[in-house]
Amino acid sequence: MPTFRCALCCAHLDSTSHLAKPMATQPTRDPWRVIWRIAASDGLITALLVAIAVGLLISVWMPQAPTDLVSYAQWYSDARNRFGPATLSLQTVGLFTIMRTVSFRALLALLSGCLFIRLIETGDQLRRHRDWTAALRLLSCAGALILLGGILLTHLLGWQIAGVIAREGERIDLPNGAWIALSNDASRVRRSPGIISFIETQIPGVRVAAHDESGRPLALYQTPHSDPVMQPTVDLVEDRYFAIPEAHLILRLTPQCSSVTSCQAALAQVYRSSSGKLIASAEVEGDEEMIVNGTILRLTRVPYAHINTAFNPGLWPTSVGLALWSIGLAGEIALALFAARKRADPIRHALRAQTGEEI
Amino acid sequence: MSMPTNAALTSIALGILLTAAGLAFFWKNSRTPQATWAVTWTAGGILAVTAALLWLAGDDLGMRIIAMAAIAAPLPTRYRHEPAPRRGIPIMLPALALTAYNLPRALDPGRGGALYPPPSLTGALTALGGGMAARALGEALSRLLEPQIPGSWLPDVLALLITICGSSIALINLWRYGSAWGTLPNASGWTAVWIVWAAVWLGKRARPRINAALTALAAAAWIAMAAR
């Protein structure tokens, strides 16, 4: 790009005073040179980084809207409860979709452009004067660009599925032939290569079976219109109800959480269907058998888990970019520390000679 | 009703830190800097013990807050020869604020216990980086209030260590959760904190006040993330 090259040379001539002095006439103000210098300046890159960071920080405190419609309804209801009538205004401003807003993406694109210009300028500097500071700055710029490239790759080709509910030992198929499977104790996730997955919450689940005194299995109904099931298995993300019409009983199962990330037990309550009176209650941690009015209820613990999974094709570029950026930054800081120490040494020696004390 | 040990120690440390601030503010004596320095180190020691007790009790958040205060509390060695003792007060402020913030939590017997998992590698890095961020915040406040104070190597060392901590957390999030931001709300926050630290270093050549303000912003962001 000849224009940029010219702008770069002019910027260099201007910044080196001993070369600029002999020039008899003042060079005309080249707008390209001005743009180049602004784009490669510390100030603009700092401002862009701060703006991106502020956007990300806001996204931590403002609940971000999910993309799927089912979760969106739940999210909108929560947001209305939290922000009240201000929800609509905040939504219009884009505070609930920060990372999907045009302005946030424009900031990232602008940062990429500035870093690219800076990379060319630093490369040129390094070619002319081989020094560590320029080399480390080049590493930082290259790292930041690779990081942004990785993020773009993930955005274009990657996907993320949050809140997949899986039963112990169950295998769930995901897009592009990928899969995840929960271990038998629901503590680990096995996955196909290239997939990242982690357990967000362990949730209890039960298999319910009902028998009469003679051992005959009784049918259970989850809703008035659902088909009868003999041994339903359910997760306990929320309260579950089963009607056993032949025994005139209603079974209610409520999850019991011991912490934010672990709900291992459940509370089982049995009501008489005609009067709604509570007639039995028990905490289900392992397998449990309850005998209520001659009906045997067998509750078998089946662990479930909420799994988050992602396919991140930009994982390696993002990691390498992050590492290079960090090495570049840390190296620059270490170099500045070393230089400051070197500058302070003659003063330290002089003071030591004068006072005879270690400073 | 007996006060829990953690709450008692937190109260004592808060009292000692307030004493140090009072000494620096009111006591005009040639020995003031040394005395204040020694008092802040005592508070730092007590806070470190409290952090260890909170870790044993399984209070992850309390441990993080008090560990940050323990790292931020001791005044730097150069302060022992400081001709104006009041200059140490801004440096003590983050430790004071963190200790005071955790006191109501410590007094609440419902906190902690077996509900929280033991600290992870990310938790330890968060506390360590947060402590250094609190120190950097103190230094930045000091530079904001009195820009004529000669520069020291401490902010650069802190920036180096915080950069290492921040990039480690971002890399761990990336490999564990598949994304440096977006998957979990906290992951976005950590990336933001790391980015703003990178910006602080880039903006180092800016005017001292702007640089100090940026450092204060970055440090406050880290502390807010760590205390969540």
Side-chain angles (χ1 to χ4, degrees):
Chain A
M1 285 182 284
T3 321
F4 282 162
R5 189 70 207 149
C6 173
L8 179 62
C9 296
C10 291
H12 172 60
L13 277 175
D14 216 24
S15 63
T16 50
S17 56
H18 65 285
L19 286 172
K21 265 179 199 166
M23 292 172 81
T25 52
Q26 193 73 22
T28 50
R29 202 173 172 80
D30 180 359
W32 281 112
R33 188 184 67 181
V34 175
I35 293 170
W36 180 279
R37 288 179 72 176
I38 292 171
S41 67
D42 283 343
L44 183 63
I45 297 178
T46 306
L48 286 170
L49 287 173
V50 171
I52 291 166
V54 167
L56 287 173
L57 279 173
I58 292 171
S59 77
V60 175
W61 273 273
M62 295 296 231
Q64 296 297 292
T67 42
D68 64 298
L69 286 171
V70 181
S71 314
Y72 184 86
Q74 177 66 42
W75 166 85
Y76 191 74
S77 153
D78 293 345
R80 286 283 299 182
N81 286 340
R82 190 169 156 191
F83 300 104
T87 311
L88 204 63
S89 316
L90 293 171
Q91 198 170 19
T92 314
V93 177
L95 289 180
F96 295 134
T97 48
I98 286 176
M99 279 173 270
R100 297 201 296 272
T101 54
V102 177
S103 46
F104 188 79
R105 287 175 184 179
L107 282 176
L108 288 176
L110 205 58
L111 179 68
S112 309
C114 290
L115 285 169
F116 186 66
I117 289 173
R118 175 102 161 195
L119 186 77
I120 296 171
E121 183 152 300
T122 318
D124 191 61
Q125 248 175 38
L126 191 66
R127 194 176 53 79
R128 280 185 280 110
H129 314 286
R130 285 178 195 280
D131 71 312
W132 277 104
T133 313
L136 289 166
R137 197 158 288 178
L138 188 80
L139 203 65
S140 294
C141 278
L145 275 170
I146 296 170
L147 171 72
L148 288 168
I151 290 169
L152 182 69
L153 198 65
T154 304
H155 177 71
L156 293 175
L157 304 173
W159 46 257
Q160 243 173 287
I161 303 171
V164 177
I165 296 175
R167 200 170 59 199
E168 56 168 9
E170 188 183 5
R171 178 182 151 141
I172 292 172
D173 289 321
L174 298 168
N176 308 333
W179 55 267
I180 49 168
L182 194 64
S183 64
N184 285 335
D185 57 353
S187 65
R188 282 182 302 113
V189 189
R190 285 185 296 116
R191 56 187 188 263
S192 56
I195 298 294
I196 293 169
S197 54
F198 62 95
I199 294 174
E200 195 181 12
T201 331
Q202 284 184 325
I203 44 178
V206 280
R207 182 176 299 118
V208 186
H211 301 269
D212 63 12
E213 279 169 316
S214 62
R216 185 175 63 88
L218 303 175
L220 293 103
Y221 294 77
Q222 273 197 275
T223 62
H225 307 293
S226 65
D227 295 329
V229 192
M230 302 316 265
Q231 284 195 20
T233 305
V234 289
D235 61 79
L236 293 176
V237 177
E238 54 192 6
D239 286 10
R240 299 281 190 177
Y241 294 88
F242 294 100
I244 313 163
E246 290 169 78
H248 305 286
L249 295 174
I250 303 281
L251 172 67
R252 178 192 182 188
L253 295 164
T254 310
Q256 301 280 288
C257 298
S258 59
S259 80
V260 181
T261 55
S262 182
C263 302
Q264 290 291 3
L267 178 70
Q269 291 170 310
V270 185
Y271 298 85
R272 200 181 300 277
S273 60
S274 50
S275 63
K277 192 183 164 194
L278 179 68
I279 45 176
S281 176
E283 190 155 302
V284 184
E285 276 190 51
D287 298 343
E288 197 79 33
E289 198 172 85
M290 296 170 77
I291 302 171
V292 185
N293 290 352
T295 305
I296 304 156
L297 292 171
R298 212 163 273 140
L299 304 170
T300 314
R301 185 179 163 272
V302 180
Y304 277 76
H306 250 148
I307 302 169
N308 279 3
T309 183
F311 169 59
N312 185 348
L315 184 66
W316 274 101
T318 314
S319 308
V320 169
L322 191 62
L324 287 180
W325 193 2
S326 308
I327 292 167
L329 268 179
E332 266 194 77
I333 299 169
L335 214 62
L337 264 170
F338 181 68
R341 199 171 166 76
K342 223 169 149 183
R343 272 199 305 276
D345 263 353
I347 304 166
R348 193 192 298 258
H349 284 309
L351 284 170
R352 195 190 301 164
Q354 216 172 26
T355 60
E357 268 183 44
E358 184 62 47
I359 307 297
Chain B
M1 195 179 83
S2 66
M3 188 190 257
T5 317
N6 302 332
L9 285 173
T10 309
S11 310
I12 292 168
L14 183 63
I16 293 175
L17 277 172
L18 284 170
T19 309
L23 273 178
F25 195 80
F26 295 111
W27 197 27
K28 309 249 177 328
N29 188 293
S30 62
R31 290 277 171 199
T32 307
Q34 284 101 321
T36 315
W37 178 82
V39 170
T40 55
W41 276 84
T42 310
I46 293 171
L47 286 169
V49 172
T50 316
L53 289 173
L54 286 166
W55 176 64
L56 289 174
D59 185 354
D60 194 30
L61 181 59
M63 185 278 289
R64 277 206 305 269
I65 296 170
I66 291 299
M68 286 193 285
I71 297 170
L75 282 172
T77 315
R78 70 182 150 87
Y79 187 81
R80 287 164 74 185
H81 309 288
E82 178 61 62
R86 285 185 184 186
R87 283 179 183 170
I89 296 171
I91 301 175
M92 292 175 216
L93 279 178
L96 256 169
L98 284 166
T99 314
Y101 174 71
N102 197 57
L103 191 59
R105 291 189 80 259
L107 287 167
D108 179 1
R111 301 277 180 189
L115 297 180
Y116 294 92
S120 57
L121 176 63
T122 324
L125 281 170
T126 305
L128 190 68
M132 288 182 296
R135 281 204 84 100
L137 177 62
E139 293 279 336
L141 287 177
S142 169
R143 272 185 291 146
L144 269 173
L145 294 171
E146 295 191 61
Q148 70 277 13
I149 298 175
S152 90
W153 50 267
L154 189 61
D156 286 352
V157 172
L158 291 172
L160 179 66
L161 296 173
I162 291 169
T163 303
I164 294 168
C165 279
S167 50
S168 307
I169 293 172
L171 273 172
I172 291 170
N173 279 340
L174 190 61
W175 282 89
R176 186 184 285 172
Y177 305 124
S179 169
W181 66 47
T183 315
L184 288 178
N186 280 356
S188 303
W190 284 116
T191 308
V193 167
W194 191 81
I195 287 174
V196 87
W197 268 107
V200 166
W201 185 253
L202 271 173
K204 193 167 167 59
R205 280 177 285 182
R207 272 176 262 168
R209 270 185 192 269
I210 295 176
N211 182 248
L214 262 178
T215 309
L217 171 79
W222 188 302
I223 295 164
M225 283 301 301
R228 262 170 74 85

